[in-house]
Amino acid sequence: MTATTFRIGGDLSVRRLGFGAMGLPTEPGPARALSLGVARRAVELGVTLIDTAHLYGGGANEELLAEALYPYPDGLLVTTKVGVARSAETGEWRLDGRPDVLRDQVENALRRLRVERLELLQLHRLDPEVPLADQLGALRELQTAGKVGRLGLSEISVAELEQAREIIDVVSVQNRYNVLDREHESVLVACEAAGIAFLPWRPVAWGKSGAHAEIAAVAAELDATPTQVALAWLLDRSPVVLPIPGTARIGHLEENVAAADLRLTPAHRDRLAALAPLDRPADQS
């Protein structure tokens, strides 16, 4: 039986199938009202892990979730990410891991989410122009100060994960990964060995799953949708995998959440596993 929950950092229990809030419109009007409804419906359906980031609208996504869900129900984890900032000169988004920027983004996230502590904070990307020790050291200081509970990383290699674990306790990794794209397979394997939560972004290949004949065939045999098959495969792939599919439509949300109850047979598992190569050198991620 596939486990339905996972303890991030060994103590923070969440249901494994979460929700990615990135695609929720935040501008005033009917679209925002729908976004509020989707976020609330996710919690009604039992989702306990919701992913956002400073990058998503410069904090507007965080504010949306707070408007929809605050005061947060017991057991709900809203995790956010920092480390990408908008240039004051060009207006373009860029990596920015300078300690003062990270600290400022954390303070703003606390304010926008209306909390005193971020139970899980992830570094959106490593900034190659800032020493790793400076980036992670700033986050560790925020953790020591009680403003952050646990720390994670995103879009990293196995080597970077090893380096980071010498500085902080890494409890989660968020890399691109799905049934058709397993470039970061070695990172998932490393996370599984260490008991680190692996949050795959783009978990259903942006709809490409439905166009793949083998996935469509498995879906038909299981009386499910290709999206549900792709999510069920992720949940079946490893107990540390916590998919965070996103949508701005309640119907799609309900379809996604229902994937947690879909069970693949060994034959289905083998057919899906054969769709993309698994063997990758440890440094290719």
Side-chain angles (χ1 to χ4, degrees):
M1 177 68 78
T2 302
T4 59
T5 62
F6 181 80
R7 291 185 179 274
I8 300 175
D11 63 347
L12 188 60
S13 182
V14 296
R15 291 188 65 179
R16 289 179 56 209
L17 187 58
F19 174 71
M22 179 181 71
L24 293 178
T26 59
E27 63 274 10
R32 183 182 182 88
L34 288 174
S35 293
L36 295 171
V38 169
R40 291 166 182 154
R41 182 60 177 151
V43 174
E44 289 174 357
L45 292 170
V47 170
T48 59
L49 168 61
I50 296 180
D51 174 81
T52 183
H54 174 82
L55 173 64
Y56 307 157
N61 198 267
E62 294 170 336
E63 292 176 338
L64 176 81
L65 292 175
E67 180 181 343
L69 303 173
Y70 186 87
Y72 304 109
D74 291 342
L76 177 64
L77 170 64
V78 178
T79 175
T80 193
K81 300 183 286 295
V82 295
V84 185
R86 189 187 293 274
S87 169
E89 293 77 23
T90 67
E92 295 180 353
W93 290 96
R94 58 182 174 81
L95 301 183
D96 198 334
R98 291 175 295 173
D100 59 333
V101 171
L102 298 178
R103 285 190 287 265
D104 182 66
Q105 291 188 357
V106 167
E107 292 293 347
N108 281 318
L110 291 167
R111 174 179 57 81
R112 293 184 179 114
L113 290 170
R114 309 179 197 177
V115 295
E116 296 182 355
R117 166 174 151 132
L118 301 170
E119 292 301 334
L120 174 61
L121 174 72
Q122 299 180 107
L123 185 60
H124 211 142
R125 296 289 188 275
L126 299 180
D127 185 345
E129 298 186 4
V130 177
L132 183 64
D134 291 354
Q135 298 177 69
L136 301 186
L139 299 183
R140 185 181 57 202
E141 290 172 4
L142 290 162
Q143 187 178 33
T144 300
K147 296 183 178 182
V148 174
R150 300 156 193 82
L151 295 171
L153 304 170
S154 182
E155 282 303 281
I156 60 166
S157 67
V158 171
E160 289 167 339
L161 176 59
E162 293 173 350
Q163 293 167 7
R165 294 184 71 199
E166 295 178 359
I167 303 171
I168 62 170
D169 180 18
V170 179
V171 303
S172 67
V173 167
Q174 189 166 330
N175 277 24
R176 188 189 71 253
Y177 186 86
N178 58 65
V179 67
L180 298 177
D181 179 359
R182 304 180 209 172
E183 177 182 350
H184 297 292
E185 183 72 26
S186 58
V187 181
L188 169 55
V189 171
C191 287
E192 185 174 27
I196 295 171
F198 185 88
L199 285 64
W201 64 267
R202 200 182 296 171
V204 292
W206 282 0
K208 293 179 182 178
S209 306
H212 196 287
E214 190 66 20
I215 297 175
V218 170
E221 292 168 19
L222 293 172
D223 192 23
T225 67
T227 292
Q228 289 174 327
V229 169
L231 291 172
W233 180 85
L234 285 170
L235 292 168
D236 188 75
R237 171 65 189 84
S238 168
V240 306
V241 172
L242 281 59
I244 46 172
T247 180
R249 297 173 59 180
I250 286 180
H252 286 166
L253 169 69
E254 294 173 344
E255 174 189 341
N256 292 345
V257 172
D261 297 322
L262 188 64
R263 296 292 175 259
L264 302 177
T265 67
H268 290 141
R269 193 178 302 126
D270 291 344
R271 286 160 61 186
L272 294 170
L275 296 181
L278 288 177
D279 296 326
R280 292 280 181 143
D283 61 349
Q284 286 214 352
S285 44

